Structures are given as C-alpha cells and as structure tokens.
Amino acid sequence: MTTCERLPGRALADILREAAKKADRRLKGLRNNGDVSRAVKVASDGHAIFEYIEPRPKALPDWLDLAVPDGCFIASTLLLSPQHPGSSWYIVTSDLNMKTKLAAVALPFIEPQ
C-alpha cells in the first residue's frame, strides 16, 4: 500500500482531486435524497443535516482567526455543536496545525485511513 506522503506531487494531486470529486458527488446525492435542512438518511442508523452558520468573533477564542479556513471551520463547529447535545462530532484530518487547534478547543479528531 502506498501512502500519500510517498507519492510524487502529481499523483498526490490526482488522488486529492478524485477524493474531492467523490465528496462532491456524495453531498449532491444527499441533497437529492430529501430535505437536507431537516435530515437525510445516510446509513441505517445515521442521518445528515446541513446547517448554515456564519461564525462571529463573539464567544469564540480570541486566537481563532476567522480569515483562515481552519479557524472558520473550527468556529462553525464550536457554534453548532452545543445546538446538538446528543450528537457526536469528529473531524477527520491529518493536518498537524488543524489537529493542534482542535485539541486546544477540545474537539475530537481522527486520522484518515
């Protein structure tokens, strides 16, 4: 098995491009399965809900830079998670900076396989 770190830049870009296309198709498929603002079944015991939020600096850690995509993503997650107290939240990332920020705000993460 080849890991992404060992692949030449072109092969890695191709893998990432295909993964992004797959995620895009999956999200579009969810939209086609019903009203994603209410809940769409994704597995026998799982549902997805699309929620839209624009984070504001109030009530967020002052070191969180909302101009940076990582910061905006983390801020959105911090604001949405209290609205769903029974839900589990996991961020899948191999990015060291993202994992450091997630740990600082006690958001769980897992490594992609």
Side-chain angles (χ1 to χ4, degrees), residues 2-56:
T2 305
T3 63
C4 290
E5 291 80 23
R6 295 186 187 145
L7 294 172
R10 180 60 131 172
L12 177 57
D14 290 343
I15 289 171
L16 293 175
R17 186 177 301 104
E18 286 306 311
K21 286 180 183 178
K22 183 177 178 181
D24 185 54
R25 285 190 302 270
R26 178 78 169 139
L27 290 172
K28 286 178 181 174
L30 289 176
R31 287 187 191 105
N32 293 334
N33 288 342
D35 184 356
V36 293
S37 67
R38 296 188 186 270
V40 175
K41 191 172 186 173
V42 294
S44 61
D45 60 346
H47 291 79
I49 299 173
F50 289 21
E51 294 192 39
Y52 311 97
I53 191 165
E54 192 66 35
R56 302 284 185 244

Side-chain angles (χ1 to χ4, degrees), residues 73-84:
F73 176 81
I74 292 170
S76 297
T77 306
L78 287 172
L79 294 172
L80 285 172
S81 58
Q83 297 175 21
H84 304 279

